Amino acid sequence: MAKKITDKVTWVGKVDWELKSFHGNELSTGHGSSYNSYLLRDGGKTVLIDTVWGPYDKEFVSRLKEEVDLSSIDFIVMNHNESDHSGALPELMREIPSTPIYCTKKGEAIIRGHYHQDWNFVNVKTGDKLELASGSLTFIEATMLHWPDTMFTYWSGDGGILFSNDGFGQHLASESLYDEDVDRDILFREAEKYYANILSTYSPMAARKVKEILGMNLPLRLICPSHGVIWKKEPSAIVEKYLLWSDSYKEDQVTIVYDTMWQSTRKMAQAIAEGLREASPSTTVKLMNASRDDKNDILTEVFHSRAVLVGSPTINFGVSYAISGILEMMHGMRLKGKKAAAFGSYGWSGEAVKMMSESLSGAGFEVVDEGLRLTWVPDGEALESCVEWGRQFAGKL
Ligand code: FEO
């Protein structure tokens, strides 16, 4: 059902309570999500901003028809054209095939690449405007937030609204649509998980873009992303978080990510944690089993940390399947300013620690220790060496 959010703007998106994973199975979405689409009506002109994911295309178009005569839509603005926002375009354009689609040049290429249609594209760039009766829509390219095509659209009416698409989004389903109506801890946790897993790779661009927008001194009553709730109560709070998250973010936390076959590497992880805590009581230490814990929650904890310790037994001259996957994902995040080291048990060849250290280094971590390897099942003396290694790692933080 459509929901009016200001005098001129109505939300016409889809709340997806059932969504459990996103980007195939790359990202877990434990609190569902939404695909936010907005209808702006001002002085006889109607603008649709973004659409929804393909599986909801018919529902989207039929609900949109209940809200507006489709033929009265003057412009469609596509801020970003990944399938979760552009998926309903073919269904919509079947009804209004000549309606102009405002998007970046790269946006047009992406839409053409996805849907292979010769629609009425209008390419826009930063600073271009669409004048309406009581205000203007200004386009602001936001390259790589999240794809090369991405732009934000700023509406100067209604006290100022930034339609930021993926930027400032969260995978969080809510019937209310507003930040003030959801659990604040869950909201910021989901926003951080979203940033860590989707946008951290592009932190330099995020930092530049947020500063650029702040420098414009635009009145900002609402930030309306295309996923999750609208920032109404605290638009500045999420902007401040983005400044923090995009600048080599770290809290006083060490995350120990490990995998284990017969509990030896797990015992090492626990003993290392003991040493760390003993030597640095103010540091939060978290242990996560890469085979059991959610991979995206692990990456969020890594993002949150000042250092990470990665442990795997040596398996068939290599690293465990789960740890290999986490290391690969960490590589893609392009994190900066974090320290790391590796550990693990082995029986005979014992390559895993060296391989993990090299992988961490390649992922941009500062590897501050050559790593800790133990054979077979650690006894009391071996575990004491793990405690001591944890103490020494704390000294290198
Ligand atoms: Fe929500 Fe990059 O799409």
Side-chain angles (χ1 to χ4, degrees):
M1 195 173 72
K3 293 175 183 165
K4 203 166 169 59
I5 61 172
T6 66
D7 190 33
K8 315 271 186 215
V9 178
T10 304
W11 176 92
V12 289
K14 169 70 187 174
V15 179
D16 189 348
W17 286 92
E18 289 189 353
L19 192 74
K20 293 293 171 221
S21 68
F22 195 78
H23 285 155
N25 201 33
E26 285 293 300
L27 177 63
S28 62
T29 49
H31 291 99
S33 192
S34 66
Y35 320 103
N36 299 334
S37 169
Y38 302 94
L39 200 59
L40 169 58
R41 285 172 283 204
D42 185 38
K45 293 288 185 195
T46 301
V47 184
L48 179 73
I49 301 175
D50 297 325
T51 74
V52 304
W53 188 29
Y56 297 108
D57 59 354
K58 289 186 173 52
E59 178 181 336
F60 170 73
V61 171
S62 103
R63 285 186 174 181
L64 195 57
K65 281 181 183 171
E66 291 169 13
E67 183 62 25
V68 69
D69 176 359
L70 295 186
S71 65
S72 73
I73 296 175
D74 297 285
F75 317 101
I76 298 168
V77 171
M78 290 303 301
N79 280 323
H80 168 42
N81 296 285
E82 193 166 2
S83 310
D84 50 326
H85 308 294
S86 66
L89 263 183
E91 188 71 17
L92 179 64
M93 298 309 283
R94 263 191 281 280
E95 305 259 0
I96 46 172
S98 58
T99 306
I101 298 173
Y102 283 64
C103 60
T104 59
K105 193 173 176 192
K106 283 176 179 157
E108 177 183 341
I110 289 172
I111 295 175
R112 286 183 183 276
H114 278 60
Y115 308 110
H116 312 287
Q117 298 294 320
D118 194 23
W119 290 322
N120 179 11
F121 296 102
V122 179
N123 290 165
V124 292
K125 54 188 185 320
T126 296
D128 289 349
K129 287 179 193 283
L130 253 180
E131 296 292 346
L132 303 179
S134 68
S136 58
L137 284 169
T138 303
F139 305 110
I140 305 165
E141 289 166 273
T143 307
M144 301 319 296
L145 298 177
H146 155 235
W147 274 8
D149 64 322
T150 300
M151 65 178 187
F152 296 167
T153 298
Y154 177 74
W155 164 233
S156 65
D158 287 320
I161 301 176
L162 184 68
F163 296 98
S164 57
N165 201 273
D166 283 341
F168 309 115
Q170 344 84 44
H171 286 307
L172 178 60
S174 162
E175 287 299 311
S176 94
L177 295 183
Y178 297 111
D179 56 350
E180 61 196 7
D181 298 325
V182 297
D183 183 293
R184 196 174 187 279
D185 288 345
I186 293 174
L187 170 60
F188 279 92
R189 187 71 190 157
E190 285 299 329
E192 185 176 345
K193 180 177 175 180
Y194 187 99
Y195 185 92
N197 285 274
I198 294 180
L199 296 178
S200 69
T201 307
Y202 309 110
S203 279
M205 290 85 153
R208 275 200 298 275
K209 191 51 54 180
V210 172
K211 285 172 191 160
E212 178 190 322
I213 288 170
L214 287 173
M216 293 167 133
N217 287 317
L218 301 167
L220 204 53
R221 175 177 163 200
L222 298 173
I223 296 177
C224 292
S226 287
H227 296 294
V229 295
I230 292 166
W231 299 95
K232 177 184 180 188
K233 185 183 174 197
E234 294 186 287
S236 60
I238 190 62
V239 173
E240 281 162 22
K241 286 288 186 191
Y242 266 53
L243 286 173
L244 200 63
W245 293 339
S246 60
D247 186 18
S248 304
Y249 174 63
K250 53 178 174 285
E251 300 289 342
D252 188 7
Q253 176 175 321
V254 177
T255 301
I256 303 176
V257 188
Y258 66 93
D259 197 2
T260 195
M261 292 172 73
W262 298 108
Q263 308 303 326
S264 295
T265 303
R266 180 182 61 76
K267 287 176 184 169
M268 291 179 72
Q270 289 176 341
I272 291 164
E274 198 182 312
L276 258 169
R277 281 287 297 159
E278 191 187 305
S280 183
S282 62
T283 301
T284 301
V285 179
K286 291 194 178 177
L287 285 88
M288 304 190 86
N289 183 319
S291 291
R292 293 171 184 252
D293 287 303
D294 179 276
K295 63 187 184 306
N296 305 104
D297 288 340
I298 292 173
L299 295 179
T300 308
E301 295 297 346
V302 168
F303 177 71
H304 204 79
S305 298
R306 61 196 294 195
V308 60
L309 293 169
V310 181
S312 170
T314 295
I315 303 171
N316 294 339
F317 315 106
V319 176
S320 90
Y321 165 82
I323 289 294
S324 294
I326 290 291
L327 286 169
E328 177 64 24
M329 293 181 93
M330 281 162 60
H331 191 273
M333 293 168 82
R334 300 193 177 179
L335 300 171
K336 288 194 172 70
K338 296 185 192 293
K339 295 180 177 176
F343 64 94
S345 72
Y346 70 103
W348 52 100
S349 60
E351 295 91 338
V353 168
K354 185 165 182 283
M355 291 168 80
M356 288 186 288
S357 298
E358 287 171 358
S359 178
L360 285 163
S361 180
F365 289 80
E366 183 189 352
V367 177
V368 294
D369 189 283
E370 65 182 11
L372 179 65
R373 300 190 313 164
L374 294 178
T375 48
W376 304 116
V377 178
D379 60 8
E381 190 180 335
L383 287 176
E384 180 48 42
S385 75
C386 294
V387 175
E388 179 54 26
W389 193 73
R391 287 188 200 110
Q392 287 184 13
F393 187 78
K396 296 171 184 170
L397 288 174

